[in-house]
Amino acid sequence: MSTQSHAYSSAACTRLQWADTFTRELPGDTEVKESPFVNSKVDESKFRAPREVRGALWSWALPEQQPNPQLISVSQEGASLVGLDAADFWKEPQAAAAAWSGSAAIEGSRPWAHNYGGHQFGVWAGQLGDGRAASLGEVLRNGQRWEIQLKGAGRTPYARFADGYAVRRSSIREYLAAEHLNALGVPTSRSLSLVFTDRTILRETPEKGAVVARMAPSWVRFGSFELPASRHDHDLTRKLADYVISRHFPGLSYAELLSRVVESTAHMVAHWQALGFCHGVMNTDNMSILGLTIDYGPFAFLDAYDAGFICNHSDPAGRYAFSEQPRVALWNLMRLAGPLARVMDGQPDPAPETVSTITAILNEFGSQFRNEYTRIMRLKFGLASARDDDLEVIIQPYLDLLQEAKTDYTFAMRTLSRVPGSVDAAVDSLAERSLACNAEAWKDKLRTYFTSVYIPRLGPSDAATQMNKVNPNFVLRNWVAQDIIDRAENGDAEWVDKALKLFTVHAFDDHAPSGMEGAEKYAGPVPEWGEGLQCSCSS
């Protein structure tokens, strides 16, 4: 029997305008035909027992009761997207924690879990699905659709052998990262709230649990198309494509849908490369159909610039290394193109004309990525005008110098704004933030680059101000995230909320805000223990 018999109906949540088109318009799992919030007599095990689900794109889900849920942080920007106010959460923090951890039903919500497959590290993995994420529903606000999920709220039919929970360290990372990347201008899912629980979860060692409420206009992935196509269920693939077009790309053809996804994915990865962001696990089930950064796992921001940096220690071959991200994105798009090609033709084997069309669309990825990456980097470098050779003459030579000396990437980009004031001071500071430079020889090369190549192409006198608006001072490096996690686990959970403010409102500031004494170090040299810190997929 379902244990969630009461609904959380605060004034804030009654303002949510639910519009669950995904479950109304697309085929669902026939094993359980009614939501547990509609029919509470269905045995709970039906919503948690792992099983193969065919002919369906989703299954009803039932978030679990959580022991002692505690509200830790609420994103005001995230809340406003769905018509809520963070202050309302804090008026009834216990009730809010119960609702946004899944312990209490939110009035009007009908949770479900997505069914999808995916290629993981280049190998087809079959059915995967949302094993620990339950979508509460879709909320409409100002013409925008937001699908709200609870991640870590318990098992769904797609949990396979996992427990359906999430630990605090990974939840803190995802909660902060999504809002941080949004503040930095990167297409991304969004965060709403973070709740800690007293559930003990076994990973490498026992850890405490947490639940993140996260949002995106859609959580449909490349793997959402791959799974039915792999089962030769082309009718289901077509229904999903029709739904995505009608709700997110109205009026487009199937070919135009693929073209739009190729472009948005190219732009997303261009932002990653310009920012020095490494996703870490670019499986096709982690690729958004909307070109959003989703599923923050073992991500990292570069410390020392290293094009070959691998942030995921579960990736020893470096498939998802920093420099490989554009190539992998295109490989993933090719996996998506197969199902869409069959939908375009209505045949298992696409016609030569369709293959030609698909190939032409995929071939646009390279130029779309290059053009967007160059556009972003021109802003970061403060160039006076756009020239065809900017990438080869200005941008890449600087990155080569950073690679040679293993210079702190974020610091190096931020330092560009100070070059016109004093080349020597900029060179000296960059040498101090480098791990492997032959000091004098490297400094001479860098000085020559600045005076002979870079400065002549700089923009007007206010370029430095504009550059500091696109080159952040504070980024959520792995060692910084670990420091926040350690403080939270040692009793200073309020630091998470303060960190949210730092990495969103103050990411481009020269100094940390008052009340965050000690956070200045987050923009300082990387501690020896934190350099190149890797994470795993365990979360």
Side-chain angles (χ1 to χ4, degrees), residues 260-288:
R260 187 70 64 86
V261 177
V262 168
E263 181 181 39
S264 62
T265 302
H267 287 189
M268 174 189 72
V269 178
H271 277 279
W272 291 359
Q273 301 305 112
L275 189 59
F277 176 81
C278 193
H279 184 276
V281 60
M282 291 176 65
N283 299 329
T284 58
D285 54 293
N286 295 332
M287 298 292 292
S288 163

Side-chain angles (χ1 to χ4, degrees), residues 210-433:
V211 178
V212 174
R214 62 184 192 175
M215 308 180 297
S218 173
W219 289 98
V220 172
R221 302 133 187 281
F222 291 9
S224 303
F225 291 86
E226 287 183 283
L227 182 61
S230 74
R231 295 168 169 174
H232 308 290
D233 192 345
H234 305 306
D235 182 58
L236 189 59
T237 309
R238 178 187 55 77
K239 288 178 180 178
L240 178 60
D242 289 345
Y243 172 84
V244 168
I245 289 171
S246 67
R247 293 299 173 182
H248 301 285
F249 304 102
L252 297 191
S253 66
Y254 298 131
E256 289 168 336
L257 169 62
L258 177 61
S259 180
R260 187 70 64 86
V261 177
V262 168
E263 181 181 39
S264 62
T265 302
H267 287 189
M268 174 189 72
V269 178
H271 277 279
W272 291 359
Q273 301 305 112
L275 189 59
F277 176 81
C278 193
H279 184 276
V281 60
M282 291 176 65
N283 299 329
T284 58
D285 54 293
N286 295 332
M287 298 292 292
S288 163
I289 200 69
L290 301 182
L292 304 175
T293 311
I294 61 171
D295 293 350
Y296 292 86
F299 72 86
F301 288 85
L302 294 178
D303 292 322
Y305 185 80
D306 177 7
F309 175 63
I310 303 167
C311 65
N312 181 354
H313 74 59
S314 301
D315 182 22
R319 177 179 176 82
Y320 300 142
F322 177 69
S323 61
E324 292 297 300
Q325 293 184 137
R327 182 192 64 79
V328 172
L330 178 57
W331 190 92
N332 290 343
L333 286 162
M334 292 176 181
R335 308 287 78 73
L336 173 66
L340 289 181
R342 294 177 180 88
V343 169
M344 289 168 61
D345 265 11
Q347 300 292 334
D349 297 315
E353 295 80 4
T354 301
V355 173
S356 178
T357 298
I358 293 287
T359 301
I361 292 171
L362 291 170
N363 284 342
E364 290 296 314
F365 177 87
S367 61
Q368 289 169 341
F369 167 78
R370 178 189 172 95
N371 291 342
E372 181 67 2
Y373 175 74
T374 305
R375 182 193 70 79
I376 298 168
M377 293 299 275
R378 285 184 180 120
L379 296 174
K380 294 171 79 68
F381 275 75
L383 302 183
S385 60
R387 299 189 190 179
D388 291 342
D389 64 356
D390 285 338
L391 185 59
E392 292 78 13
V393 173
I394 303 294
I395 299 166
Q396 192 58 50
Y398 188 55
L399 298 182
D400 291 341
L401 285 165
L402 303 185
Q403 175 88 34
E404 178 184 341
K406 298 190 183 306
T407 309
D408 186 313
Y409 179 70
T410 299
F411 181 79
M413 298 307 297
R414 183 83 174 182
T415 299
L416 288 174
S417 67
R418 299 198 290 272
V419 169
S422 174
V423 170
D424 287 338
V427 168
D428 288 341
S429 65
L430 288 168
E432 291 174 1
R433 294 288 285 270

Side-chain angles (χ1 to χ4, degrees), residues 2 200 533:
S2 171
T200 299
L533 190 65

Side-chain angles (χ1 to χ4, degrees), residues 191-205:
S191 297
L192 175 58
S193 64
L194 174 66
V195 174
F196 282 178
T197 77
D198 283 348
R199 186 183 300 280
T200 299
I201 301 170
L202 184 62
R203 294 296 182 258
E204 284 87 352
T205 60

